[in-house]
Amino acid sequence: MSWQVVAYDLFSVLIYPGIIFLVALALFYQWVDRRVYARAQNRYGPHHTGPRGLLQPLADLIKLLAKEDIEPSAVDKMIFRAAPILLLTLVFTALFMVPISGTSAIVSFEGDLIFLIFIMTLFAILAFLAGWGSTNRFSLVGGMRAALQTLGYEVPLAVSLIGPAILAGTLSVSNIVAWQAAEGFWSILLNPLGFGIAIIGIIAIIEVVPFDIPEAETEIVAGWQTEFSGRKLGLLRLAHDLELVFVSGLVVALFLGGPTGPIPLIPGIIWFIIKTVIIVFIIGFIRAQFARFRIDQMVSGSWKYLVPLSILQIIILQLYLMI
Amino acid sequence: MATLNRENKIVDSLKEKFGQNLLEIKIQKPRRIFATVLSSALKDTISFLKDNFSINHISTISGVDMGKEIGVYYHLMGNKVEGYDNEIVFSLKVTTPKSDPKLPTITTIIPGAELYEREIYDMFGVVIEGHPDPRTLVLPDGWPEDVFPLRKEWKVDDIKAKIEKVGGDGS
Amino acid sequence: MSDSTFTIPIGPQHPALKEPEHITVTIDGEYVVDVKVRLGYVHRGGEKAFEARTYTQGLYLVERICGICAMAHQLCYANNVEGLLGITPPRRADFIRTIIAELERVHSHLLWVGIAGHEIGWDTLFMYTWRDRELVLDLMELATGNRVTHATNAIGGVRRDLTPDMINQILKGMRHLEERVKYYAKAVPAERTVMKRAVGVGILKPQEAVDLCAVGPTLRASGIKRDIRKDDPYSAYDETPFDIITNDGCDVAARVLVRVGELFESLKILDYCIEHLPSGPIRVRVPINVPPAENVSIVEAPRGEDIHYGKSNGTDKPERYKVRAPTLANWASVPTMLKGGYVADLPITLAAIDPCMSCTDRIAIIDIGKRKKWVGSTDQLRRHIKKCHGK
């Protein structure tokens, strides 16, 4: 391997479209999300730090990183310290498999879609572990709810994500994007139901209203995050924003053609940002429109409506392929 | 001005029913009746009012320090007749000696009185016999047991001095 | 207690509670098994303090019992002292009191609708209603000079007259509010997630509500027609036409609907009072010393009946002044509403009685003169903190 290849790999992992770029993107999306949410509520949202408040998420992150990190004496230290780092690592791992600047992601192999679905489940398991390790009653209830919520959204989400894979005949996210680019159409056209279910599923993954049940502020303080403070909380927040990039990027890759577009002159990254910002908009609006569900309503509703609908979507796709 | 038909009816039937036990009764103005009964007849009076005049709501229980005795007022409300009509506020007073203040619970008749009875114990030290949940309601834990703040002999400074001596920590 | 249950403490500091109280909830999974309420965290020694103050000073102390129902408490106090003195305020003062009291109800109910939305995670509703509530506060400021502690009442009347200009402004503001309230009345029940969280939650059956002596919208949402404004009319309510809003739902949704309905009724009352505002003086002079007497006055505060008992002894200070705010009356029914429900329904069920802890707690002792709490020295505080933290 020549040094140029190593340097290129390092550059793409660390800077573009790797860690630094992703963190910047995550903070930008946090800003978009907060602005959309605020405007929908007749507020301004962040508008002071930087141009139009763009630097506010960064300022918040720096503030949290600089704050005192309180570690209660009763916590399970290993889990408690590892949880934010593990979560951040997991999100980065997942993001490397999402095509961001071109049709191919930093890492891609046949079957990485299954791996991504597996990682999404790990998010909830980590949340449960973090809640358990905090030995706080609110954290514990929050962690249990996070695990319980997985039971609700995991199956319909996985089934709906498989839809595009069936169409493209491949289980690699990058290949699905390449197939869409080659075919010249987006799989959402055949997958409208799957797209809707995927949006609902990713809202549950990033735990925002109406599915912020594991961190329901008015019920269980901050849920599984209750005991985290300072640096750890900063990392958790960052991981949350990166999750937003990841889930919106994944939905864009699978349903909206990823970082490609009808006008060839515009680089892929612009397409990616436009499409993901639309997803973030949708999430922000849904967040402003709904009240929080109760955990039992969420799980039973999901099994009653989402699972049959997602299976119906798969059947439609199969019929289409048979014709 | 409104006629006092309902008020008079309540007063008359109470006089007839309780006779000696009813120490005093007066209609202060429309919709306001003040009465004093012996503490032994407290429960009977309240049941009687509830059963016959549907005075079924207790608004609060106030205590008054009257020197040697503690006066306890049960502010009852109700007596809404068919259709739409005003309610009557019936203030029933009993007294109990300050040296050994004791009253029966009325939660068996009106369950909503529970909190007020706890409050009257906190503030005046009136022991409510048979109360289902006799915890303190408003005073902090670690409050000195013999300080009943609304009794006249306890001045604010005395209470403060006492608490600092006991070392209450507000937990 | 079996192994499958454990207790979670809600409060004294908890995001679901805007004010300190402590509720020990025993839960089994997501179900509430038992509820124990501990009050008394914001005691300010109000009742003892009344005995050390003149009647006029008491007027300003009483409205500091609670910021939101300042007018209700002060009105109740003024009614009480006027009853002790045996005077009646001028009719114009009655109407002005009614106008301010109803404006307060509008502001309190709007605030509550927002809080209810926040408790179930719908912050958008919170932001919207609180924005509209600002308008009411502005009107209050215009009419009384203050946004929250209005100090409208004096013993024997009101402190400040309403000018035609103010009345125009209030009318204009009300038209806008009416539109907004109509919008909420349409939007809130139409939002399915809200109804999913509110219907069938926090059930309080009519018989239980009567037995446990619930008051105000909580009681009326259980289908019981009891409203002090009709039952024991004070100020201008004896001639003002309005309906009592009740609902047979007995749940949180019913409490929402009752409050939204009452918003319309309040606007109706405001309309009537402004239209029929009589002319004349707004205040009569009253003696400083109050002859020995006793009096019970009741006012329908936004949260329910607010009852004051006053006993005078011939001096300028009361012998005894007792305040019972509506929230205390509703606490008795809270365990009944919560038991058997979900943990997730706790905040909204609690919020549905519109608890106001400052109202509830008013009796313990602090030395107001020196502004020093009875807790004592900082050493004691430090010892306490150490004890809490174990080692």
Side-chain angles (χ1 to χ4, degrees), chain A residues 42 137 145 218 288 292 294, chain C residues 7 16 120 124 131 197 345:
Chain A
N42 217 304
R137 289 154 204 263
R145 284 183 178 187
T218 45
R292 184 186 308 121
R294 220 162 47 202
Chain C
T7 57
I120 53 172
T124 310
R131 181 196 62 192
R197 293 297 305 273
D345 291 333

Side-chain angles (χ1 to χ4, degrees), chain B residues 28 31 59 63 80 138 154, chain C residues 43 48 225 232 305 320:
Chain B
Q28 191 203 30
R31 306 194 299 274
S59 286
K80 187 145 54 174
V138 286
W154 285 105
Chain C
H43 280 203
K48 194 85 173 170
K225 236 180 173 185
D232 186 31
E305 73 170 53
R320 170 86 172 96

Side-chain angles (χ1 to χ4, degrees), chain A residues 94-110:
Chain A
L95 269 166
F96 288 161
M97 289 172 212
V98 177
I100 288 173
S101 61
T103 50
S104 158
I106 301 174
V107 185
S108 86
F109 51 89
E110 188 60 36

Side-chain angles (χ1 to χ4, degrees), chain B residues 28-29 31-32 34 56-65 73 75 77-78 80 84-87 89 91 110-112 115-116 119 123-124 135 137-141 143 149-152 154 157 160 163-164 167-171, chain C residues 36-40 43 47-48 51 83 210-215 225-228 230-233 244 294-298 305 307 309 311 319-320 322 324 328-329 331-332 362-363 365-367 370 372 374-376 380 384 387:
Chain B
Q28 191 203 30
K29 56 185 174 186
R31 306 194 299 274
R32 294 284 188 283
F34 283 80
N56 53 3
H57 177 87
I58 184 155
S59 286
T60 189
I61 303 176
S62 350
V64 179
D65 188 336
Y73 287 77
H75 300 289
M77 246 174 89
K80 187 145 54 174
Y84 206 73
D85 211 333
N86 302 132
E87 295 201 342
V89 181
S91 297
I110 304 179
L115 293 176
Y116 309 130
E119 185 183 342
M123 291 298 145
F124 289 93
R135 293 176 296 150
L137 176 72
V138 286
L139 295 180
D141 301 335
W143 186 264
L150 282 182
R151 289 192 184 181
K152 290 279 183 201
W154 285 105
D157 288 334
K160 209 179 127 210
I163 289 166
E164 282 182 354
D169 57 4
S171 59
Chain C
K36 276 209 152 55
V37 180
R38 174 86 170 82
L39 305 171
H43 280 203
E47 288 179 13
K48 194 85 173 170
E51 292 171 16
V210 172
D211 284 345
L212 294 169
C213 302
V215 297
K225 236 180 173 185
R226 184 175 259 160
D227 187 323
I228 303 301
K230 285 269 197 212
D231 291 339
D232 186 31
I244 299 180
E294 55 186 354
N295 192 16
V296 178
S297 62
I298 314 183
E305 73 170 53
I307 178 167
Y309 166 78
K311 190 176 165 71
E319 167 83 11
R320 170 86 172 96
K322 158 91 182 173
R324 200 279 278 130
L328 184 62
W331 270 118
R362 72 230 159 264
I363 315 157
I365 304 304
I366 56 168
D367 189 340
K370 290 176 189 161
K372 190 179 170 194
W374 67 271
V375 168
Q380 278 174 331
H384 174 60
K387 209 169 75 188

